[in-house]
Amino acid sequence: MYIFSFEKLEAWQNSRMLILDIYKIANNFPSSENFGLSSQIKRSTASIATNIAEGTSRNTNKDKAHFLNISYSSAMETLNHLIICNDLNYISNEDYILCREKLSKICNQINSLKKYYTEKG
């Protein structure tokens, strides 16, 4: 089976693992949040990996950097949702800290990739 370039990126691999974590956590939210915060955090987390994947298929380095910027923005949206989930006690402190640390690592990886493509021009 062919492995696409985005699948080899640690940023994408780590984002994919975070998606799985968030889905497991969000499944324990109150049912009243099914179309609210639960849906929003799942979509923003998935968007991190999706934009990394989409960006790597672009032809220019400028386009690649643009999609990485969108991915980073989705990570910030996810962080906002995590903070709110923690404030509402929808997520344990342990899960909050673990997800936040994973998200921080992903953000650093995205920024490194973005810098690479920006400098490569």
Side-chain angles (χ1 to χ4, degrees):
M1 175 176 17
Y2 181 77
I3 305 294
F4 288 89
S5 60
F6 74 88
E7 294 176 283
K8 298 173 188 174
L9 294 172
E10 282 186 40
W12 179 82
Q13 293 168 6
N14 291 336
S15 298
R16 183 173 160 239
M17 293 298 107
L18 181 62
I19 293 167
L20 300 177
D21 292 340
I22 292 296
Y23 266 73
K24 288 176 190 170
I25 291 166
N27 285 337
N28 295 320
F29 289 2
S31 59
S32 62
E33 289 294 345
N34 284 348
F35 300 105
L37 196 51
S38 176
S39 175
Q40 289 177 344
I41 196 168
K42 288 176 182 178
R43 283 186 287 119
S44 65
T45 307
S47 181
I48 299 168
T50 300
N51 282 292
I52 292 170
E54 187 173 352
T56 60
S57 71
R58 297 298 171 146
N59 290 328
T60 68
N61 290 329
K62 183 178 178 182
D63 278 347
K64 291 175 197 244
H66 173 72
F67 276 88
L68 289 167
N69 191 53
I70 295 169
S71 180
Y72 184 88
S73 296
S74 294
M76 291 299 101
E77 181 181 355
T78 299
L79 176 57
N80 178 68
H81 296 321
L82 277 173
I83 292 167
I84 293 168
C85 290
N86 191 49
D87 290 344
L88 294 169
N89 294 316
Y90 290 171
I91 183 172
S92 71
N93 232 18
E94 182 179 301
D95 284 340
Y96 170 73
I97 291 167
L98 183 65
C99 288
R100 189 169 176 129
E101 287 172 350
K102 288 180 179 184
L103 196 54
S104 181
K105 181 177 182 174
I106 292 164
C107 287
N108 288 337
Q109 292 170 326
I110 290 169
N111 278 334
S112 293
L113 284 168
K114 188 168 60 171
K115 183 178 177 185
Y116 170 77
Y117 287 119
T118 302
E119 289 175 355
K120 200 173 173 184

